[in-house]
Amino acid sequence: MATVFMKWLETTPGDYDRGIQLLTLGRLTPLKELIATNYVQPGHRVLEIGCGTGTLALMMAEQGAAVVGMDASPLMLAEAQRKADKAGLAQAIEFYEMDVSELADRFSPASFDLIVSTLAFSEFPPELQRYALAEARRLLRPGGRLLIADEIIPDRVGARLLFYAVRLPLVVITWLLTRTTTQALSHFPTALVEADFTPHVIASYLGGSLQLIEARPAVESEAIPLKAETGIKTCCLPCAAESAMATIVGETPLPALPPAPSPEAIPQLHHQVTPRTLLLDLISLLNRFVPPYPKIATGLYRVGNPNRTSPVLVTGNYDLTVRRVVRELDGRVDCWLVVANSRGINVWCAAGGGHFTADNIISAIKTSGVDHLVDHHALILPQLCANGVDGWRIRKLTQWGVHWGPVRARDLPAYLAAGRVKTDAMRWVTFPLRDRLEMTITSSMFFGVLLAIPLAILWPHLLGLTLGAMFVQALVFGLLLPWIPGHDGLVKGVFLTAATVLAVILWGQLAGDWPLIKYINRSLGLGFLAYFVAGEFQGTSPLMRGEANWDVQFGVGLLTLLVYGASQLFLGM
Amino acid sequence: MNWRDTLKEEIRHLTIARRLRIRFDQNKCAGVWQCYEACPIGCWTPDLEARKAIFRDEGRCIACGACVLQCPQGAIELTT
């Protein structure tokens, strides 16, 4: 899996910073400096939502503020803590590993002078955005400010076109280099107004797509309105606790969302084949790598007619994943389906890449109200997210029991019928012919397009040959994968390369009139292509280690170029 | 970081995936079977006598880290 390793390589924070710098063309740093110098005063209590690797938190602490940085990623926080220790600012900053949905549980009302958030809101699904804004409104002291710097899709049509024109190439480059991306916010000012803020755009970069918004609570003079009777004083208490955290103990936090939704109000999912789903299937087949990934709204769904004892299943919000799960369940099982935010990525890759975590699931459970709809607390998670979703964190923070379901959605009905009992066949990943062919098409499309662009510009006469050869190589490799010797793409690739060179020689013999240099050029070019195809196939094969072959591929590429240069020099003249 | 360190770091990242190994401390194991539940490859085998799962089949391990994350005892490590 492409991103399975990122967590263990600890590349996520570094890649993330690099990706963000690229995506915003370096404009983010000045925005952060602007926030730190213009808004932060000594003694301020500041909350940063989604502090990431702590760049802004450090700047604000340098201005003399007491900063609370929260983020759901332990890796990012470890990096942030390391930077804070190094800068000698560890006393001024507290970092908390928590999800936004836990804001109400952790902080008292009116406990911050300033709440800032850069490029975090765009990572939240819409209902979490609304929740976070409502919470921010509650946590701010009178006279406080909410500052949000984020990628925002402009509302005006002309500006929106410009936005996509600037953003699309950046998204592709960033994804290729760092395998990360972000989703820009749409209709954000409206959401701010709905959350009782008065927004002003303070700075705007890149055609308005990167903005710094200052939001003041709309009714400054009044006490902070509470939405429910909770017994918490609403006046601006000088925060009794010395710590900016002021964790509420024994007080009931505000209900995050309406507590008891009626079952009929929960949307029902059906398995259906329509022109739209066929089109989505085709898009998923041809492009599985490049975002934006088709996804569905996170939250709770019904499959069939579930009741208070029906099982609760969890999955990610990749459109294809949800439709495949529903296809297997609809008409066979009545259950509740919690769709958690996996950023539109399948559960295995999302979990491996740190995009689908226990906190995403906790957040989905808390905001969906599923607690009130069933009498049990048994959560069934897809087994393949176990590489990134900490089951014990869910057990600890939600009181829900975690059960690892089968690897494939197809086995869900049998697994549930057996009373959550899994056979080994349900537990183990296979890579059958059908899946291998799917991966052949998916990866050849992606690398085909990548190759086609420079070839069409520089060497159009090689376009058909190269793309055709690459598809045949990927096809042969996909068909014969289990029988090609070796445990990884690099070893297996040697055999694919050898087969390619043999095919070139045979082709030359059949053509009859090839000069030696042509044999060498074709063997080198197509041979390297074979090695590349095999190395990349490793990333899509679930039975091999995640792709980390770029160093060897790059080395082999350099060697190929050297041999090519030498052969041109000695034979080509 | 100068360019030399950056380059070293990149190479470390690229090569680390091929070197990762599971280290299993059977004495710390409490027998909760989460590793067996989570492993998508079948690297863990039941040891019915000890009532524990035992790490086997190192060659097949894809170092996904699922067993490491789900082990409540910290008995499993992914190391280089």
Side-chain angles (χ1 to χ4, degrees):
Chain A
M1 294 285 108
T3 51
V4 166
F5 276 97
M6 291 177 64
K7 195 178 168 72
W8 301 98
L9 293 172
E10 301 186 333
T11 59
T12 315
D15 283 348
Y16 179 79
D17 279 352
R18 274 160 58 211
I20 288 304
Q21 282 299 330
L22 269 175
L23 263 181
T24 56
L25 291 177
R27 299 301 173 96
L28 197 61
T29 310
L31 267 185
K32 288 181 173 173
E33 281 162 0
L34 186 74
I35 294 174
T37 49
N38 285 14
Y39 287 90
V40 179
Q41 287 165 21
H44 264 171
R45 290 208 164 94
V46 186
L47 170 68
E48 183 174 9
I49 297 176
C51 62
T53 59
T55 317
L56 176 57
L58 254 67
M59 290 179 189
M60 295 190 296
E62 272 169 12
Q63 299 290 324
V67 181
V68 174
M70 54 146 290
D71 204 290
S73 160
L75 278 180
M76 299 271 190
L77 287 175
E79 173 76 5
Q81 189 67 57
R82 197 186 59 78
K83 290 202 297 206
D85 290 341
K86 201 175 162 191
L89 289 167
Q91 293 294 319
I93 313 177
E94 288 178 277
F95 289 114
Y96 281 80
E97 181 191 338
M98 56 179 273
D99 187 72
V100 181
S101 61
E102 295 168 61
L103 277 175
D105 306 343
R106 298 273 192 136
F107 306 116
S108 330
S111 52
F112 293 100
D113 300 294
L114 193 64
I115 297 180
V116 301
S117 178
T118 61
L119 296 179
F121 271 77
S122 47
E123 311 245 325
F124 305 154
E127 76 274 7
L128 203 58
Q129 285 174 20
R130 283 194 294 277
Y131 173 84
L133 288 177
E135 277 306 313
R137 176 76 181 80
R138 194 179 67 90
L139 294 176
L140 276 180
R141 287 176 180 164
R145 298 279 178 276
L146 171 67
L147 290 170
I148 293 180
D150 220 315
E151 296 178 290
I152 292 176
I153 303 173
D155 280 340
R156 281 175 297 121
V157 179
R160 199 179 307 169
L161 285 178
L162 181 69
F163 168 81
Y164 284 118
V166 173
R167 187 174 160 84
L168 206 64
L170 281 176
V171 167
V172 174
I173 295 169
T174 308
W175 190 84
L176 281 176
L177 291 177
T178 65
R179 308 273 161 134
T180 56
T181 189
T182 56
Q183 183 95 39
L185 290 166
S186 56
H187 306 297
F188 195 59
T190 318
L192 278 168
V193 172
E194 280 170 7
D196 205 20
F197 281 106
T198 311
H200 301 278
V201 177
I202 302 298
S204 167
Y205 293 108
L206 305 174
S209 60
L210 181 66
Q211 294 185 6
L212 173 62
I213 296 180
E214 179 199 293
R216 298 167 185 229
V219 218
E220 283 275 24
S221 54
E222 293 175 21
I224 291 168
L226 276 182
K227 282 170 281 177
E229 298 293 325
T230 61
I232 299 173
K233 288 266 189 187
T234 59
C235 63
C236 85
L237 294 167
C239 205
E242 274 306 306
S243 155
M245 290 299 302
T247 308
I248 307 176
V249 180
E251 283 181 292
T252 319
L254 287 172
L257 282 175
S262 81
E264 290 71 34
I266 306 294
Q268 201 172 23
L269 291 175
H270 294 284
H271 169 57
Q272 50 193 359
V273 180
T274 63
R276 185 179 164 274
T277 65
L278 289 173
L279 182 70
L280 281 168
D281 281 340
L282 187 68
I283 293 173
S284 297
L285 178 66
L286 298 182
N287 169 36
R288 193 141 324 159
F289 296 146
V290 183
Y293 311 109
K295 52 188 165 190
I296 80 160
T298 56
L300 183 64
Y301 294 92
R302 288 186 296 157
V303 180
N305 286 301
N307 57 32
R308 299 193 69 83
T309 58
S310 300
V312 178
L313 310 180
V314 177
T315 193
N317 70 336
Y318 181 33
D319 170 84
L320 190 65
T321 303
V322 176
R323 280 191 297 117
R324 284 185 175 176
V325 169
V326 172
R327 182 182 68 195
E328 303 301 337
L329 294 174
D330 196 19
R332 297 192 186 102
V333 175
D334 293 316
C335 64
W336 303 97
L337 185 64
V338 175
V339 176
N341 184 20
S342 65
R343 297 217 214 158
I345 307 171
N346 72 72
V347 291
W348 201 5
C349 291
H355 305 305
F356 189 47
T357 63
D359 291 295
N360 293 120
I361 292 174
I362 293 168
S363 165
I365 293 170
K366 285 193 171 182
T367 53
S368 68
V370 65
D371 254 320
H372 306 279
L373 291 167
V374 290
D375 293 327
H376 63 85
H377 276 104
L379 210 55
I380 298 167
L381 263 51
Q383 186 197 315
L384 285 184
C385 71
N387 59 339
V389 172
D390 183 349
W392 298 99
R393 188 169 166 83
I394 298 179
R395 292 178 183 105
K396 201 176 82 191
L397 294 180
T398 66
Q399 319 302 321
W400 280 73
V402 169
H403 303 268
W404 301 107
V407 159
R408 285 173 187 270
R410 185 196 311 137
D411 294 326
L412 274 169
Y415 165 81
L416 292 170
R420 296 199 305 252
V421 172
K422 216 163 39 164
T423 62
D424 281 345
M426 294 179 183
R427 193 188 311 278
W428 295 339
V429 164
T430 53
F431 198 29
L433 182 65
R434 195 196 145 92
D435 292 4
R436 298 203 302 271
L437 290 181
E438 197 177 331
M439 280 304 122
T440 297
I441 296 171
T442 301
S443 57
S444 347
M445 275 304 294
F446 175 68
F447 290 107
V449 171
L450 272 193
L451 260 180
I453 296 166
L455 280 176
I457 297 167
L458 296 172
W459 305 283
H461 62 288
L462 293 177
L463 189 65
L465 173 69
T466 313
L467 294 188
M470 193 182 75
F471 184 71
V472 172
Q473 285 164 347
L475 190 64
V476 169
F477 200 67
L479 284 173
L480 303 180
L481 187 73
W483 300 282
I484 300 174
H487 275 302
D488 63 26
L490 295 179
V491 178
K492 287 177 187 277
V494 174
F495 292 91
L496 189 68
T497 308
T500 304
V501 172
L502 281 177
V504 169
I505 294 171
L506 188 67
W507 179 18
Q509 291 296 316
L510 288 176
D513 55 348
W514 280 19
L516 181 61
I517 190 77
K518 190 162 175 179
Y519 278 103
I520 292 177
N521 286 352
R522 294 265 149 111
S523 298
L524 284 174
L526 298 181
F528 175 68
L529 196 61
Y531 203 66
F532 179 81
V533 165
E536 281 304 315
F537 213 95
Q538 174 165 345
T540 49
S541 164
L543 297 178
M544 295 194 270
R545 298 191 163 208
E547 62 186 324
N549 292 332
W550 287 19
D551 54 341
V552 177
Q553 286 171 342
F554 185 70
V556 173
L558 269 184
L559 199 68
T560 310
L561 267 181
L562 276 177
V563 177
Y564 174 79
S567 65
Q568 296 303 303
L569 210 61
F570 293 116
L571 295 167
M573 297 298 134
Chain B
M1 268 215 284
N2 61 31
W3 67 270
R4 232 176 268 254
D5 293 335
T6 314
L7 193 68
K8 262 189 209 161
E9 190 63 13
E10 288 292 322
I11 290 173
R12 188 182 77 85
H13 283 172
L14 286 168
T15 54
I16 201 168
R18 291 195 281 273
R19 293 187 280 118
L20 287 171
R21 294 279 177 276
I22 289 290
R23 189 181 293 157
F24 171 50
D25 183 349
Q26 207 177 330
N27 296 325
K28 281 192 194 167
C29 173
V32 294
W33 293 85
Q34 287 293 300
C35 50
Y36 186 73
E37 283 288 312
C39 179
I41 304 295
C43 296
W44 296 85
T45 316
D47 179 342
L48 296 176
E49 219 165 87
R51 292 171 171 271
K52 288 175 180 178
I54 304 295
F55 184 67
R56 227 182 49 172
D57 280 327
E58 183 151 15
R60 285 166 65 204
C61 173
I62 58 169
C64 70
C67 55
V68 182
L69 187 62
Q70 304 309 330
C71 180
Q73 306 294 321
I76 312 169
E77 269 183 296
L78 201 51
T79 62
T80 48

